[in-house]
Structures are given as C-alpha cells and as structure tokens.
Amino acid sequence: MSFELTRVSQALAHWIEALNSRGDDAITQRALTDDVALTRHSGLQKGVTERFEGVDAAARWLRRSPPDTLFSVVGTPEILSAPGRMPIEAEARYRVQVGEFVNQGTWRVTLAEDGRIAALEHMPDFLAT
C-alpha cells in the first residue's frame, strides 16, 4: 500500500468514527483540521446544499444525523494527486444506512500535512423521487 493510500485510509477511518459518533468533539477534532472546509451536496438535486467552515461547524452538522446512522467506506479510495505531492487528494465511495434506508455516495478529500482532512465534499448518489 502506498504512503498516500495509507494516509487517506487512516484519515477516512477517523472521519467514519466522527460520523458514527455524531460529532463527538474529540473524535471530530482527530479527523478534521480546525479550519476544515466541508461541502455537502444533495441527493435530490444537483449543486451544493450546504457549506461548513471549521471543525465546530462540521461537528454541529454531524450532530444532526439520526442516532442509528452508520457510515462505512466501500472499496479502496482512489488517489487523485501525483505520488509524493502534497496535499494528498483522493476520492472514496461510502455507504450510509439509517434504519431501512441505504444509500451510497462519494467523498472527495484533501489532507493536511498532519494527515487530517482539510477539505471534504460529501456527494450522495441521487435518489429516485
């Protein structure tokens, strides 16, 4: 496993912990930089639905998830940046389940030098209406 893939896999594991903890402060701070830029797209329409600047805003968003929400990574992340170049950029597929509801989507992440997520785009797959 390459250095970049190892770093992205570790960062996504921390992100999953933050999501599944519903924004626990310590867990979220381990996953995200203080000045993280998080963009959430909608599964119902094209375009950006919400933007969150900073780890506190991101944690507040995570707290909105229902208690039984579970996220996981599907497959192996794809490294988008050139080997040996910083920042590391990657895409990963995810799965979300809330009770009987299941969907998937894509995360696009940029890592800070310390391995935490500095930018993240949350892009759910479109839902049939």
Side-chain angles (χ1 to χ4, degrees), residues 28-82:
T28 302
Q29 289 171 352
R30 185 171 53 233
L32 307 174
T33 61
D34 292 342
D35 61 348
V36 65
L38 196 149
T39 304
R40 186 178 79 81
H41 296 258
S42 171
L44 299 174
Q45 62 190 13
K46 289 190 178 209
V48 173
T49 303
E50 294 178 285
R51 293 183 196 277
F52 305 94
E53 298 291 331
V55 69
D56 293 334
R60 283 192 299 276
W61 173 58
L62 298 180
R63 288 186 192 105
R64 294 183 347 203
S65 295
D68 59 343
T69 303
L70 290 175
F71 282 87
S72 58
V73 173
V74 177
T76 302
E78 178 184 355
I79 305 302
L80 303 175
S81 52

Side-chain angles (χ1 to χ4, degrees), residues 17 22 25 47 52 55 58 71-72 78 92 107 114 117 123:
E17 286 181 84
R22 296 183 54 242
D25 287 335
F52 305 94
V55 69
F71 282 87
S72 58
E78 178 184 355
W107 289 319
D114 67 3
I117 296 171
M123 301 172 287

